[in-house]
Structure formats: structure tokens, C-alpha cells
Amino acid sequence: MELAKNIAVAPGIQVIVRDWLNANHVLIRGNAESVVIDTGYGAHAQQTLALICAEDALGSRRLDRVVNTHCHSDHMGGNAALARAFGCPVSLPEYAARLVDAWDTRELLLDYADQQAERFSYADTIAANDRLRLGDLEWQALAAPGHDMTALMFYQPEHRVLVSGDALWERGFGLIEPVDRLEERLAAQRATLERIDELEIAAVIPGHGAPFRAADKALAEAFRRLAAYEADPLKLARHCLKSFFMFALLARRSMKRRELPGYFERVLCYREYNAQFFRRPAGELAEMVTGELLRSGAVIEHDGTLAPASS
Ligand SMILES: [Zn+2]
């Protein structure tokens, strides 16, 4: 079991910090209700359930509502299991709900990137600029397009806490896909960062990594990365493929090196990126992606098998 840390951020707001495969769970506990924002990856849903039910989290309370910042597999993967366990409703960003209605596995980055999620139903939707009550606190939903064009962030003005999802991490933000509408996505991400810059922030709870207080520093780093991606879409494409592969390797735990050419041929994201950016045999693309990950130390190789260095 990975080490998950449970951190109190403000009265009634805590975060269970997970890893790269599972987004963090933001737990909002009030007298009236308990809510969780984002539910991790589907294959780890039982562990998510155990962490959320633990004594230092929900304890003997029940979960009353699940909310998502966006519907990538590492954020909504536990929705079905939590809704089943607690009989609680799920609330989605309104534009993400359309993808879930259609179960658009391309836009949801599911089989497109060799990721899985159990299908779930939702009760209602949240729109940008909605004010909503979660726990005992008033929150504002803010549009956060860029990494995911349908994403929302949640801001709590009294404690000045921002739940940023993948729109802002302490070092960077979620990948921006370059295969279509790249300029639109980059401009949207820039607008999202500028929107964050206007907020008074005491703490950011990101989708991945520990909560942090220095929003200014994180924003400066995010703007720097965004400018680098704008200047070099090929670099962005390489970064995306490394992220997709790393995610799949974390989910699968290991992959045989000799199976990689077939894998890179079969999984759609590699085919699509290859056709647009790299134009080389699948085996060479696999060598490029895994070679960079091996050199950076993120992946290790033993007896012809690749594995994440951290597991
Ligand atoms: Zn995401």
C-alpha cells in the first residue's frame, strides 16, 4: 500500500494526498454533510474507499456527495465504488457530464491512452461561477479549461483555499494535449492561470502532490512551462507520451520491453501522436519514450522488464 498522507488544510477541509495514478481526495466535513472531491483511479478503488473511511478521515460519518474537478481516470475512477458503498450522488462539471453521458473514451482519455474506469451515473452538474455549499462552507466553482477543457476548480473565500485539480500543481500542471486545438488549449490554460492569479490564496490543494501555500511561486513556474510548450509543441508531444506511458506503467506495474513495439502500435494515443509529430516505426517511438524515462530515472529495467522506479 502506498503511503497516503492525511493533511488538515483549514477547518472542515482536509486532503488525502495520494500519488500520480490516484488524484488526491479532498474531504470536506461539516455538520450537515461530508463531501469528497475526486476519487482516484478505478483499479485502486478499494484502497480509496479504505482511506476515505479511515478514522482520521470520514470515521463513522457517511459520505453524502462525490464531486469531480474533471473526468480523467485518475480523478473519477473511484466514483462508481464510492457511490455504491454510500448510495451517495455524484456531481460533475456540466461539460464533463456530456463526455460521461456519451462515455467518450477518446476525450476521457480511457482506452485512447490505455486507461480504465468503471462507468458511473451522476445526479447533477455544476457550472462555472456556480456558488455551492459543500460541508458547512460556501464554495465558488471556477472554469479551469486547458489541461481538460471541461474542468472546474473550487474556491473557498473565507479560508482562501483553492482546490485546483490539474490546473495548477506546485510544479506545473496536467498535460496539455497537442494533437488538436493546441492553440485553444494553451490559451485556455493561460487564462486559467491568470484567473488563479487574481484570487487571494492561503492554500492550494492540487490534484497531485501535497497542498502548498506559495501560489505565486507555483504560478510563476506554471507560466514558465506554458511558454516553453507554446514555443515547442514537439517537446510538449514528447512530454505527453512520457506521461501516458508512465501512467500505464504505474497501473500495470511492469511491462516487457519486447512487447513495447506492439503496444505502441496498438494504443491509439501513440499512433496518433506518431502520425502527427514523430513519423517513425512504433519500435523507435517506444525506444524514444522509454529511453528518456530510463535516463531520467523514472523507470528502471531489470531482465528485459520495465517498472516504475517508485514502486
Ligand atoms: Zn487530469
Side-chain angles (χ1 to χ4, degrees):
M1 199 188 205
E2 96 220 16
L3 266 180
K5 263 207 198 120
N6 197 327
I7 298 173
V9 176
I13 308 172
Q14 67 187 91
V15 54
I16 302 172
V17 177
R18 301 287 304 267
D19 51 18
W20 287 103
L21 193 60
N22 294 280
N24 295 336
H25 317 306
V26 184
L27 199 55
I28 302 163
R29 294 192 316 186
N31 291 319
E33 59 166 12
S34 301
V35 179
V36 70
I37 303 177
D38 289 344
T39 62
Y41 192 59
H44 293 207
Q46 287 315 308
Q47 189 182 349
T48 297
L49 191 58
L51 288 167
I52 287 176
C53 293
E55 206 43 56
D56 62 352
L58 268 187
S60 56
R61 291 158 179 257
R62 46 172 291 117
L63 185 66
D64 299 287
R65 189 178 185 186
V66 168
V67 174
N68 291 129
T69 56
H70 63 298
C71 283
H72 283 156
S73 67
D74 51 335
H75 293 254
M76 52 89 162
N79 284 10
L82 288 178
R84 228 180 354 254
F86 292 99
C88 66
V90 175
S91 305
L92 298 182
E94 65 170 335
Y95 297 123
R98 295 182 193 172
L99 306 180
V100 168
D101 286 338
W103 205 242
D104 184 337
T105 58
R106 163 70 185 82
E107 281 297 311
L108 294 169
L109 298 183
L110 293 175
D111 53 354
Y112 175 75
D114 185 29
Q115 301 179 13
Q116 276 86 40
E118 185 181 347
R119 204 165 173 175
F120 59 91
S121 33
Y122 63 91
D124 54 17
T125 62
I126 303 166
N129 304 318
D130 276 1
R131 284 165 192 275
L132 57 159
R133 200 168 176 84
L134 303 175
D136 294 340
L137 301 166
E138 296 292 335
W139 295 74
Q140 296 167 3
L142 301 170
H147 160 68
D148 180 317
M149 296 303 276
T150 71
L152 293 176
M153 311 179 278
F154 299 100
Y155 180 63
Q156 207 292 313
E158 189 188 332
H159 298 302
R160 294 177 291 143
V161 169
L162 178 71
V163 175
S164 62
D166 288 346
L168 180 70
W169 300 333
E170 190 163 16
R171 277 179 288 277
F173 43 83
L175 54 85
I176 307 284
E177 282 191 278
V179 285
D180 77 322
R181 298 188 294 151
L182 174 59
E183 279 184 20
E184 193 187 326
R185 290 173 195 271
L186 289 169
Q189 180 67 33
R190 181 169 291 280
T192 293
L193 295 175
E194 284 165 355
R195 196 168 295 124
I196 296 173
D197 207 6
E198 288 166 6
L199 299 171
E200 294 242 350
I201 293 178
V204 177
I205 305 178
H208 301 271
F212 56 90
R213 302 207 173 268
D216 289 6
K217 211 168 134 215
L219 280 168
E221 171 66 15
F223 279 120
R224 194 191 63 71
R225 287 188 191 210
L226 188 63
Y229 293 147
E230 283 166 342
D232 190 353
L234 199 62
K235 177 187 172 141
L236 177 58
R238 275 209 309 275
H239 169 70
C240 287
L241 288 192
K242 282 192 284 183
S243 302
F244 287 143
F245 184 77
M246 203 59 218
F247 191 91
L249 194 61
L250 283 165
R252 291 166 172 264
R253 293 168 201 267
S254 70
M255 287 171 83
K256 297 231 176 300
R257 190 164 202 156
R258 65 179 150 75
E259 289 167 3
L260 292 178
Y263 179 80
F264 273 68
E265 187 70 54
R266 191 170 70 247
V267 179
L268 189 55
C269 67
Y270 303 104
R271 280 218 306 274
E272 225 179 83
Y273 278 62
N274 200 13
Q276 193 168 332
F277 292 102
F278 304 106
R279 300 187 195 93
R280 52 181 81 178
E284 272 182 37
L285 185 71
E287 283 301 315
M288 182 194 86
V289 170
T290 55
E292 286 185 24
L293 290 168
L294 283 162
R295 281 193 296 280
S296 73
V299 169
I300 49 171
E301 181 171 7
H302 185 66
D303 280 347
T305 297
L306 302 184
S310 54
S311 73

Coordinates of all heavy atoms in Angstrom, one line a residue, residues 70 72-75 109 147-148 166 169 174-175 208, ligand 1:
H70 N -12.7 17.2 -12.7 CA -12.8 16.9 -14.1 C -12.8 15.4 -14.2 O -12.6 14.7 -13.2 CB -11.7 17.5 -15.0 CG -10.3 17.1 -14.6 ND1 -9.7 17.3 -13.4 CD2 -9.4 16.4 -15.4 CE1 -8.5 16.8 -13.4 NE2 -8.2 16.2 -14.6
H72 N -11.0 12.9 -15.8 CA -9.9 12.0 -16.1 C -9.9 10.8 -15.2 O -10.4 10.9 -14.1 CB -8.6 12.7 -16.1 CG -8.4 13.6 -17.3 ND1 -7.5 14.7 -17.3 CD2 -8.9 13.6 -18.5 CE1 -7.6 15.3 -18.5 NE2 -8.4 14.6 -19.2
S73 N -9.4 9.6 -15.7 CA -9.5 8.4 -15.0 C -8.9 8.4 -13.6 O -9.3 7.6 -12.7 CB -8.8 7.3 -15.8 OG -7.4 7.5 -15.8
D74 N -7.9 9.3 -13.3 CA -7.3 9.3 -12.0 C -8.1 10.2 -11.0 O -7.7 10.3 -9.9 CB -5.8 9.8 -12.1 CG -5.6 11.1 -12.9 OD1 -6.5 11.4 -13.8 OD2 -4.7 11.8 -12.7
H75 N -9.1 10.9 -11.5 CA -9.9 11.7 -10.7 C -11.3 11.2 -10.4 O -11.9 11.4 -9.4 CB -10.0 13.1 -11.3 CG -8.7 13.9 -11.3 ND1 -8.4 14.9 -10.4 CD2 -7.6 13.7 -12.0 CE1 -7.2 15.3 -10.6 NE2 -6.7 14.6 -11.6
L109 N -9.8 10.2 -22.2 CA -8.5 9.6 -22.1 C -8.5 8.2 -21.5 O -7.7 7.8 -20.7 CB -7.5 10.4 -21.3 CG -7.3 11.8 -21.8 CD1 -6.2 12.5 -21.0 CD2 -6.8 11.8 -23.3
H147 N -5.7 22.0 -19.5 CA -5.4 20.6 -19.4 C -6.6 19.7 -19.7 O -6.5 18.8 -20.5 CB -4.9 20.3 -17.9 CG -5.0 18.9 -17.5 ND1 -4.2 17.9 -18.1 CD2 -5.9 18.2 -16.7 CE1 -4.6 16.7 -17.5 NE2 -5.6 16.9 -16.7
D148 N -7.7 20.1 -19.2 CA -9.0 19.5 -19.6 C -10.0 20.6 -19.8 O -10.2 21.5 -19.0 CB -9.5 18.6 -18.4 CG -10.9 17.9 -18.8 OD1 -11.7 18.6 -19.3 OD2 -11.0 16.7 -18.5
D166 N -6.1 19.6 -11.8 CA -4.9 19.5 -12.5 C -4.5 20.9 -13.2 O -3.7 20.9 -14.1 CB -4.9 18.4 -13.6 CG -4.8 17.0 -12.9 OD1 -4.5 17.0 -11.7 OD2 -5.2 16.0 -13.6
W169 N -0.4 22.7 -10.2 CA 0.3 21.9 -9.2 C 1.4 22.8 -8.7 O 1.7 23.9 -9.2 CB 0.9 20.7 -9.8 CG 0.0 19.7 -10.5 CD1 -1.3 19.6 -10.2 CD2 0.3 18.8 -11.5 NE1 -1.9 18.6 -11.0 CE2 -0.9 18.1 -11.8 CE3 1.4 18.5 -12.3 CZ2 -1.0 17.1 -12.8 CZ3 1.3 17.5 -13.3 CH2 0.1 16.8 -13.5
G174 N -1.4 19.7 -15.3 CA -1.7 18.5 -16.1 C -1.3 18.7 -17.5 O -1.3 19.8 -18.0
L175 N -1.1 17.6 -18.2 CA -0.6 17.8 -19.6 C -1.6 18.4 -20.5 O -2.8 18.4 -20.3 CB -0.2 16.4 -20.2 CG -1.2 15.2 -20.2 CD1 -2.1 15.3 -21.4 CD2 -0.5 13.9 -20.1
H208 N -2.5 16.5 -7.6 CA -1.4 15.6 -7.2 C -0.4 16.4 -6.5 O -0.1 17.6 -6.8 CB -0.8 15.1 -8.5 CG -1.8 14.3 -9.4 ND1 -2.0 13.0 -9.3 CD2 -2.6 14.8 -10.4 CE1 -3.0 12.6 -10.2 NE2 -3.3 13.7 -10.9
Ligands
ZN1 ZN -6.4 15.4 -15.4

